[in-house]
């Protein structure tokens, strides 16, 4: 009898919680019994029990009551073999002190299960993020997502080289969203941690728990997703998690060190799903952005280093010379701060150069013609061998000329020397190519942009 009552209650719940929630959370509930005002359900995992209790407990109770049942409490029971022991205290090793009869663990009501995310860095906020041309789009997209309006692009895919602020932006989104809506379940973790959790769940036979947990979040952020390329079962699970959340219209934010299409060994279907949302890249920093970051770091650290004095031009010098990434730049500045507080006097340009000699030397690394050829070929989607090969097709000759011009600008090689490296071409061919590109930069907008991008990427 109580069974048919649950049937009716369930039907009405389908109306009130929506189809998705119903399918994920209500339909899998197995009604056990109704006794002394307690409705009992069998659930596959503790996590699920907690989640249903927290999110739908009131509605379920209400529906029971409106059906004329005397129910004041819900109880969710996990068959013992599947109990995770995460919410309930772990069973003592010998099992003696546990009641032997019902082979089940009762889930305590209340919290919806903790999320196994990575800790957020408090400093990685929007306030501390310096916006410049190379990152303005990524910043704007991150802002939009953090505003938490209707989900417009899903996923948001941020990509770019090391130290350009991907993690910073993701943390900033998480800070902002949880500040606005503390009830929101925001889960941030690296792809590596995702894999680790997945493997752990497989090993401990807690896949149901794993699945439920990941499907219960409102916002999922996975950092450095290139990590799961080539890891087949992790990819597969990630794909399912991803789809389940997109289906529920939950926001997903992903980062990687390159564009989805360029991640090797990533399944095609995952690539195409990742491309469905908004894909934005963080470009290599430019001088203005680097200077901006330095100035903002100086301001942030003013309180910690009150006696810190930098001679004019020191920041400009750093911004000019340390072009690798923002992390290195920050590290250099921190070292100057430490140095300054030790010597207790103004840091001159000379002192800064001395103090940072090793960092500066590393940043001085010269690009090679081979690197340029590789990068340009990659950019234009042609074969590296075509760089040195004989083909005269415009679609190949033009990139080759771009590579020649870059070789001239970024290396100390002579025309004949460059010609030699481009399949033994004559120095006049190289000169012609360089001149051609110089002309085109003035007239062909697209080419000018490509050139600038490549140059920055290579200098970086
Ligand atoms: P990524 O994840 O892209 O490798 P991070 O987000 O970890 O890079 O950034 C590296 C460091 O540089 C962090 O300390 C971060 O705060 C800082 N950083 C990067 N970009 C900016 C920016 N635009 N403004 C301020 N700090 C930045
Ligand atoms: Mg990162």
């Amino acid at each position: 009898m109580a069974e048919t009552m649950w049937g009716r209650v369930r039907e009405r719940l389908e109306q009130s919680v929506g189809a998705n929630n119903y399918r994920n959370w209500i339909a899998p509930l197995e009604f056990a019994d109704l006794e002394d005002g307690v409705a009992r359900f069998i659930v596959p995992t503790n996590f699920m029990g907690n989640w249903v209790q927290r999110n739908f407990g009131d509605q379920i109770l209400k529906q029971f009551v409106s059906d004329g049942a005397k129910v004041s409490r819900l109880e969710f029971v996990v068959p013992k073999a599947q109990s995770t022991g995460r919410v309930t205290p772990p069973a003592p090793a010998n099992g003696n002190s546990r009641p032997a009869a019902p082979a089940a663990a009762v889930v305590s009501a209340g919290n919806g299960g903790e999320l196994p995310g990575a800790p957020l860095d408090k400093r990685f906020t929007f306030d501390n993020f310096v916006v410049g041309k190379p990152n303005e789009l990524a910043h704007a997209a991150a802002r939009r997502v953090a505003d938490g309006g209707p989900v417009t692009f899903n996923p948001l895919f941020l990509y770019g080289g090391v130290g350009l602020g991907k993690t910073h932006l993701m943390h900033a989104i998480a800070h902002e969203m949880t500040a606005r809506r503390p009830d929101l379940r925001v889960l941030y973790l690296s792809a590596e941690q995702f894999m680790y959790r997945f493997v752990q769940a497989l090993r401990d036979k807690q896949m149901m728990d794993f699945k439920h947990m990941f499907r219960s979040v409102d916002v999922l952020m996975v950092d450095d997703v290139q990590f799961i390329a080539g890891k087949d079962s992790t990819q597969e699970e990630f794909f399912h998690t991803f789809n389940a959340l997109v289906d529920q219209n939950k926001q997903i934010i992903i980062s990687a060190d390159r564009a989805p299409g360029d991640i090797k060994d990533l399944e095609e279907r995952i690539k195409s799903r990742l491309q469905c949302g908004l894909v934005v890249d963080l470009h290599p920093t430019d001088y203005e952005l680097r200077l901006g970051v330095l100035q903002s770091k100086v301001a942030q650290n003013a309180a910690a280093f009150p006696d810190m004095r930098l001679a004019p031009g020191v920041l400009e010098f750093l911004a000019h010379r340390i072009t690798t990434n923002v992390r290195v730049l920050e590290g250099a500045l921190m070292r100057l701060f430490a140095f300054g507080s030790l010597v207790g006097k103004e840091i001159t340009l000379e002192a800064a150069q001395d103090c940072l000699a090793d960092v500066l030397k590393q940043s001085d690394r010269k690009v090679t013609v081979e690197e340029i050829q590789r990068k340009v070929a990659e950019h234009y989607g042609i074969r590296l061998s075509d760089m040195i090969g004989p083909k005269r097709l415009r679609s190949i000759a033009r990139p080759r000329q771009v590579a020649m011009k870059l070789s001239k600008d970024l290396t100390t090689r002579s025309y004949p020397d460059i010609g030699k490296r481009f399949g033994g071409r004559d120095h006049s061919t190289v000169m012609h190519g360089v001149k051609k590109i110089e002309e085109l930069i003035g007239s062909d907008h697209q080419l000018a942009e490509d050139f600038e991008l490549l140059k920055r990427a290579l200098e970086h």
Side-chain angles (χ1 to χ4, degrees):
M1 214 208 67
E3 194 90 23
T4 53
M5 178 181 281
W6 169 237
R8 289 193 297 273
V9 166
R10 209 160 61 161
E11 251 167 53
R12 284 199 302 274
L13 282 168
E14 186 168 8
Q15 305 299 315
S16 64
V17 302
N20 263 329
N21 282 329
Y22 179 80
R23 184 162 34 104
N24 287 329
W25 305 108
I26 307 295
L29 295 178
E30 194 184 318
F31 182 75
D33 56 18
L34 173 56
E35 236 181 66
D36 303 330
V38 180
R40 255 182 223 93
F41 296 89
I42 314 272
V43 286
T45 66
N46 285 334
F47 180 84
M48 181 164 170
N50 280 328
W51 179 257
V52 173
Q53 176 74 272
R54 198 171 79 128
N55 291 279
F56 308 110
D58 289 347
Q59 291 185 62
I60 297 174
L61 276 180
K62 205 174 97 191
Q63 296 298 354
F64 267 116
V65 172
S66 70
D67 207 77
K70 290 197 174 53
V71 182
S72 56
R73 199 155 66 81
L74 304 175
E75 213 169 83
F76 296 89
V77 180
V78 182
K80 200 175 181 190
Q82 287 177 4
S83 158
T84 65
R86 191 181 327 135
V87 181
T88 48
N94 57 17
N96 281 344
S97 55
R98 241 183 138 70
V106 177
V107 175
S108 61
N111 82 72
E114 57 210 82
L115 292 174
L120 298 174
D121 191 316
K122 279 203 201 60
R123 296 163 306 165
F124 289 1
T125 59
F126 279 119
D127 283 346
N128 288 343
F129 192 81
V130 180
V131 184
K133 225 172 160 29
N135 60 24
E136 62 181 342
L137 210 61
H139 173 259
R143 269 275 183 210
R144 167 72 74 79
V145 167
D147 283 346
V151 175
T152 42
F153 24 76
N154 216 5
L156 169 61
F157 188 100
L158 300 170
Y159 77 93
V162 179
L164 297 182
K166 302 181 295 293
T167 299
H168 189 134
L169 278 179
M170 286 175 109
H171 286 207
I173 295 173
H175 287 310
E176 181 90 11
M177 287 187 118
T178 43
R180 273 170 204 259
R181 292 204 28 208
D183 60 309
L184 221 52
R185 290 168 65 79
V186 179
L187 176 57
Y188 165 88
L189 80 178
S190 66
E192 193 176 358
Q193 286 163 326
F194 180 86
M195 184 181 90
Y196 175 74
R197 297 279 166 196
F198 172 65
V199 171
Q200 197 178 37
L202 277 179
R203 193 190 56 208
D204 301 348
K205 303 200 172 46
Q206 291 178 357
M207 272 315 289
M208 284 294 278
D209 234 17
F210 177 90
K211 282 178 191 292
H212 274 124
M213 199 280 303
F214 274 94
R215 283 156 180 66
S216 74
V217 302
D218 297 307
V219 182
L220 175 67
M221 304 190 187
V222 181
D223 208 348
D224 291 318
V225 81
Q226 74 275 358
F227 183 84
I228 63 164
K231 317 235 169 33
D232 290 342
S233 45
T234 305
Q235 278 194 55
E236 175 86 20
E237 188 54 39
F238 174 74
F239 183 69
H240 292 314
T241 306
F242 185 97
N243 286 340
L245 289 173
V246 169
D247 277 354
Q248 292 179 59
N249 215 17
K250 299 295 169 65
Q251 181 72 56
I252 299 178
I253 301 147
I254 307 280
S255 86
D257 64 353
R258 64 200 74 180
D262 296 338
I263 304 178
K264 257 197 9 207
D265 297 328
L266 191 66
E267 275 186 57
E268 278 309 320
R269 56 182 187 160
I270 299 184
K271 283 186 192 174
S272 66
R273 288 245 47 173
L274 290 176
Q275 282 158 340
C276 279
L278 179 67
V279 178
V280 268
D281 59 339
L282 290 124
H283 294 275
T285 56
D286 57 14
Y287 172 79
E288 287 79 18
L289 179 61
R290 290 194 292 272
L291 188 59
V293 168
L294 287 171
Q295 285 163 341
S296 123
K297 299 285 166 193
V298 168
Q300 275 172 48
N301 286 288
F305 298 91
D307 303 328
M308 181 68 186
R309 276 167 303 135
L310 290 172
V314 169
L315 291 185
E316 287 78 1
F317 172 76
L318 292 183
H320 182 67
R321 286 291 299 277
I322 303 180
T323 54
T324 41
N325 71 49
V326 180
R327 197 174 296 137
V328 175
L329 198 61
E330 272 182 12
L333 187 64
M334 279 308 154
R335 205 186 308 168
L336 285 191
F337 278 173
F339 176 70
S341 70
L342 277 180
V343 299
K345 54 182 187 206
E346 186 185 72
I347 296 180
T348 62
L349 193 53
E350 289 72 37
Q353 269 168 297
D354 272 354
C355 174
L356 300 172
D358 54 335
V359 184
L360 294 170
K361 202 158 145 215
Q362 223 174 42
S363 292
D364 259 355
R365 186 187 69 91
K366 281 279 167 282
V367 247
T368 64
V369 173
E370 288 69 31
E371 264 179 87
I372 294 172
Q373 291 173 331
R374 192 160 2 96
K375 194 93 195 169
V376 174
E378 199 177 286
H379 180 84
Y380 285 101
I382 66 173
R383 290 209 194 85
L384 184 56
S385 58
D386 283 337
M387 278 287 161
I388 47 179
K391 287 192 192 149
R392 285 152 169 265
L393 228 64
R394 159 89 54 98
S395 59
I396 290 180
R398 195 68 85 223
R400 193 188 289 137
Q401 290 171 330
V402 167
M404 287 174 177
K405 164 81 175 140
L406 285 166
S407 301
K408 190 67 205 148
D409 286 6
L410 302 178
T411 73
T412 51
R413 303 253 171 227
S414 63
Y415 284 121
D417 220 7
I418 293 173
K420 217 160 65 193
R421 272 149 226 276
F422 279 82
R425 286 179 159 74
D426 193 64
H427 78 276
S428 61
T429 311
V430 181
M431 282 172 78
H432 170 76
V434 169
K435 212 163 123 235
K436 184 79 202 163
I437 297 303
E438 281 165 2
E439 279 165 29
L440 285 173
I441 286 174
S443 59
D444 182 338
H445 193 72
Q446 182 61 49
L447 187 119
E449 201 170 283
D450 287 347
F451 182 81
E452 204 41 50
L453 204 75
L454 282 163
K455 189 166 177 177
R456 276 204 230 143
L458 284 160
E459 278 173 337
H460 151 80

